[in-house]
């Protein structure tokens, strides 16, 4: 088979859909999974105008759903070259207000959803002798703004999982990348669970007023995936603040983050 094959969870909208189009434009066969079948049908029609494409209803909280996709890919396309564990949700709220039931909800999707995807598809890639796992985290997995403990914890876990797997799976000729974008315009705000109205509004403002959209971020991410980069930070300002965290004494970085947090939470100056 000459064409490369990719599977993307959460591929019916947002970054997942934008990435699917990048892969399609590059000649990949594209399989997308999602829980929104209506958006899935729309995305599939868009992709089929460019390449061989397929849609699977796929709930990442169910290992059996991911295994069914892996089985289909093996049976119909002979395997898969790249898997993007992209499906995710958002949350906001203080540690004393955010309910444990919502912690469990976001952990099940953002962390265990990635774990399930890596577990299922690493096995397939080991059998075929190669592959590339791409896990979508967030800049929030590298730095930690206030009132986002649950979201930051899940994304930091995705970074840690990816760091482990790039070592663990190297002998199997399986590459690993972790994507850590800052805020960009997408439909992620639709999924936000917040402990209060102010946190909900702040999260939505940060997404809706971002300078870049999903298409722009996807093109940068796709280029980095093709280069085989491990840490993929598509925002230059995100790369800069990550460097500052690594280089500055924590007391200095903490002061910087407190100042930035006041700006982020302001109703009059969200950038």
């Amino acid at each position: 088979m000459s064409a490369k094959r990719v599977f993307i969870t959460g591929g019916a909208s947002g970054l997942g859909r934008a990435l699917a189009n990048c892969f399609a434009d590059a000649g990949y066969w594209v399989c997308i999974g999602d829980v929104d079948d209506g958006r899935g049908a729309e995305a599939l029609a868009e992709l089929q105008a460019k390449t061989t494409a397929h849609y699977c209803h796929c709930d990442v909280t169910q290992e059996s759903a991911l295994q069914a996709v892996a089985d289909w890919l093996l049976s119909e396309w002979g395997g898969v070259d790249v898997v993007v564990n992209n499906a995710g949700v958002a949350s906001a709220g203080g540690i004393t207000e955010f309910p444990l039931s919502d912690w469990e909800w976001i952990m099940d999707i953002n962390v265990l959803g990635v774990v399930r995807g890596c577990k299922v598809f690493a096995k397939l890639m080991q059998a075929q002798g190669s592959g590339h796992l791409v896990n979508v985290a967030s800049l929030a997995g590298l730095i930690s703004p206030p009132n986002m403990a649950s979201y930051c914890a899940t994304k930091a876990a995705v970074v840690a999982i990816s760091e482990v797997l790039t070592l663990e799976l190297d002998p199997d000729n399986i590459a690993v990348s972790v994507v850590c974008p800052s805020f960009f315009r997408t439909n992620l705000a639709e999924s936000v669970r917040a402990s209060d109205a102010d946190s909900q509004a702040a999260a939505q403002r940060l997404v809706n007023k971002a300078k870049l959209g999903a298409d722009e971020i996807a093109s940068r991410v796709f280029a980095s995936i093709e280069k085989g980069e491990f840490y993929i930070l598509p925002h230059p300002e995100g790369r800069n603040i990550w460097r500052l965290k690594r280089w500055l004494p924590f007391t200095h970085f903490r002061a910087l983050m407190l100042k930035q947090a006041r700006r982020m939470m302001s109703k009059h100056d969200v950038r």
Side-chain angles (χ1 to χ4, degrees):
M1 179 177 293
S2 58
K4 290 185 178 181
R5 304 144 298 181
V6 62
F7 170 59
I8 304 171
T9 67
S13 63
L15 180 61
R17 184 167 177 171
L19 277 173
N21 277 284
C22 288
F23 279 102
D25 291 338
Y28 280 72
W29 288 8
V30 181
C31 178
I32 56 173
D34 209 285
V35 294
D36 189 326
D37 293 339
R39 283 180 171 168
E42 293 173 2
L44 179 60
E46 187 175 60
L47 293 168
Q48 286 178 327
K50 303 177 178 182
T51 188
T52 298
H54 182 70
Y55 169 76
C56 295
H57 182 90
C58 183
D59 181 350
V60 298
T61 67
Q62 303 298 317
E63 184 179 346
S64 59
L66 288 156
Q67 186 62 58
V69 176
D71 292 344
W72 187 92
L73 287 166
L74 184 59
S75 172
E76 300 300 321
W77 289 358
V80 67
D81 299 289
V82 182
V83 170
V84 184
N85 291 304
N86 164 75
V89 291
S91 61
I95 189 65
T96 58
E97 295 85 19
F98 197 73
L100 283 176
S101 59
D102 285 345
W103 273 90
E104 292 167 350
W105 164 77
I106 196 170
M107 293 292 287
D108 196 22
I109 298 170
N110 286 10
V111 179
L112 294 181
V114 171
V115 171
R116 294 180 188 105
C118 290
K119 180 176 183 290
V120 166
F121 287 100
K123 185 176 181 180
L124 188 159
M125 291 174 178
Q126 286 170 333
Q128 67 188 18
S130 65
H132 191 167
L133 293 171
V134 180
N135 298 326
V136 177
S138 168
L139 186 64
L142 300 172
I143 63 170
S144 307
N147 298 313
M148 293 183 68
S150 54
Y151 185 70
C152 291
T154 65
K155 295 305 184 177
V158 172
V159 173
I161 291 163
S162 302
E163 290 175 343
V164 170
L165 293 184
T166 194
L167 304 175
E168 181 177 328
L169 298 178
D170 182 72
D172 298 308
N173 195 32
I174 299 172
V176 179
S177 298
V178 61
V179 182
C180 299
S182 307
F183 291 105
F184 59 95
R185 295 188 307 279
T186 182
N187 64 324
L188 183 66
E190 295 175 7
S191 72
V192 173
R193 288 193 184 182
S195 61
D196 57 84
D198 286 345
S199 295
Q200 179 90 24
Q204 290 177 333
R205 286 196 306 274
L206 288 167
V207 171
N208 295 335
K209 293 191 176 182
K211 295 178 181 178
L212 300 178
D215 290 340
E216 295 161 295
I217 296 301
S219 65
R220 297 178 183 184
V221 171
F222 175 75
S224 295
I225 292 172
E226 289 284 270
K227 293 175 185 176
E229 295 177 7
F230 177 69
Y231 293 112
I232 300 176
L233 282 75
H235 290 78
E237 64 271 22
R239 293 193 293 272
N240 290 337
I241 197 167
W242 185 43
R243 292 187 184 104
L244 287 174
K245 181 182 180 182
R246 294 158 67 197
W247 295 342
L248 288 176
F250 182 72
T251 51
H252 292 67
F253 183 75
R254 179 179 180 275
L256 178 67
M257 286 300 294
L258 285 171
K259 181 179 179 180
Q260 183 68 14
R262 285 191 287 269
R263 289 183 59 202
M264 289 173 62
M265 298 302 292
S266 169
K267 294 182 179 180
H268 305 292
D269 186 20
V270 177
R271 298 179 182 175

